[in-house]
Amino acid sequence: MAEFVRSGRAFQIWNYDPSHRQLIIRSDPSRLDGTTTRVEVYFGHVEFMLVRPTYHSLRVRLAPPVEFRRISEFAGIPAEDSDSTYLIDPEGMSFVVSGRPSWREAVRRRNDPALFDFSEEWPPSYEAQWGSVEE
């Protein structure tokens, strides 16, 4: 998948672990937006990020050259990071420099374990979808 898009859902920064350089952005099911699944997007090997605490839609994609130049000038991101700089919101104002993002989606209750709980077996015994953002 060249990009990961989920519109009309509330997403939030769920977890950032600086010692492992991992970021998870999550959307739980909500009656307000009529969703029944949890969505989690995982970024590993995070080098740099400029993110807001919440989003009303998510669009994760590799920054195109024009956008990367803007980000590079603004934040001082070196040219060699152009293939690991991902825009994460529809407007392209937030970004993460990391390894390739992965996503998982499944029917989960709010208190169920995280979809990116690496101590859990994967693929899971319950129905789930997953993938990663390609170039």
Side-chain angles (χ1 to χ4, degrees):
M1 170 180 295
E3 60 183 43
F4 174 80
V5 178
R6 290 296 183 276
S7 299
R9 294 186 69 126
F11 283 88
Q12 63 182 331
I13 302 301
W14 189 256
N15 185 330
Y16 176 66
D17 183 343
S19 63
H20 289 92
R21 298 176 20 216
Q22 298 172 335
L23 169 68
I24 295 177
I25 301 175
R26 176 169 154 174
S27 176
D28 279 311
S30 170
R31 291 183 193 155
L32 295 175
D33 58 24
T35 56
T36 59
T37 59
R38 176 187 297 163
V39 178
E40 294 179 12
V41 181
Y42 168 85
F43 298 83
H45 307 288
V46 174
E47 293 289 330
F48 190 100
M49 61 181 168
L50 179 63
V51 296
R52 295 188 324 246
T54 61
Y55 296 91
H56 296 291
S57 293
L58 214 59
R59 181 178 176 210
V60 181
R61 67 218 179 269
L62 189 64
V66 169
E67 293 297 313
F68 177 76
R69 280 192 295 280
R70 180 181 59 83
I71 290 168
S72 179
E73 291 172 7
F74 170 75
I77 306 298
E80 59 266 17
D81 287 340
S82 66
D83 62 348
S84 58
T85 301
Y86 295 90
L87 303 177
I88 63 171
D89 66 335
E91 295 83 30
M93 300 303 292
S94 298
F95 65 92
V96 179
V97 179
S98 71
R100 184 181 346 182
S102 297
W103 60 272
R104 294 179 179 176
E105 183 170 2
V107 174
R108 303 296 279 167
R109 292 186 314 265
R110 186 164 183 81
N111 294 327
D112 285 343
L115 296 171
F116 280 98
D117 180 345
F118 294 111
S119 68
E120 296 287 321
E121 180 181 324
W122 197 263
S125 59
Y126 52 85
E127 189 175 325
Q129 296 178 332
W130 62 90
S132 59
V133 176
E134 306 289 332
E135 291 184 31

